[in-house]
C-alpha cells in the first residue's frame, strides 16, 4: 500500500496527473513567489502557481487579485518537476505559445 507522504505520494501524483489536465484544489497560502495550493487527491505533494502563471483574465494579476486562502480553484497542470517533487499549476492561458 502506498504512503500518503514522501516519495510514494509523489509517484502517485505523477501517475495520476498529466500536463494539461485540470485539477481542483484549495489555496493554502500566499508567498512572494506565488500561490500554494493543496490539490484534491494529492494533498501531500506541494503545488504552486507562480506569480507569472496566475492570469485568469489572460493578463498578469497582482497579489491583491489572488484568490483568498481557503478558496477552491481550478487550475491546469503546467509541469511535474522531479527535482523538487512539485506540481506546477497555471490559471488562465499560458504566457508562452
Amino acid at each position: 500500500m502506498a504512503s500518503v507522504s514522501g516519495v510514494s505520494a509523489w509517484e502517485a501524483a505523477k501517475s495520476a496527473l498529466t500536463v494539461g489536465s485540470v485539477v481542483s484544489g484549495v489555496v493554502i497560502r500566499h508567498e512572494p513567489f506565488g500561490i500554494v495550493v493543496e490539490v484534491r487527491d494529492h494533498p501531500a505533494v506541494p503545488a504552486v502557481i507562480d506569480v507569472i502563471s496566475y492570469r485568469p483574465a489572460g493578463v498578469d494579476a497582482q497579489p491583491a487579485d489572488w484568490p483568498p486562502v481557503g478558496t477552491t480553484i481550478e487550475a491546469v497542470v503546467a509541469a511535474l518537476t522531479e527535482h523538487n517533487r512539485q506540481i506546477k499549476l497555471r490559471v488562465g492561458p499560458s504566457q508562452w505559445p
Side-chain angles (χ1 to χ4, degrees):
M1 183 172 193
S3 168
V4 293
S5 63
V7 175
S8 297
W10 171 243
E11 293 300 325
K14 283 194 322 182
S15 294
L17 302 173
T18 58
V19 172
S21 63
V22 176
V23 296
S24 177
V26 176
V27 174
I28 57 173
R29 70 180 183 272
H30 295 163
E31 296 288 348
F33 56 81
I35 303 164
V36 180
V37 177
E38 183 177 286
V39 174
R40 181 178 298 158
D41 299 328
H42 302 287
V45 180
V48 174
I49 304 171
D50 295 321
V51 171
I52 61 170
S53 297
Y54 186 75
R55 309 176 77 235
V59 295
D60 295 341
Q62 299 302 312
D65 301 321
W66 293 353
V69 171
T71 303
T72 298
I73 63 169
E74 286 194 343
V76 175
V77 176
L80 299 165
T81 56
E82 190 70 43
H83 74 278
N84 59 358
R85 296 186 177 130
Q86 191 174 79
I87 303 165
K88 297 285 190 175
L89 303 172
R90 69 175 166 78
V91 171
S94 176
Q95 221 173 308
W96 299 277

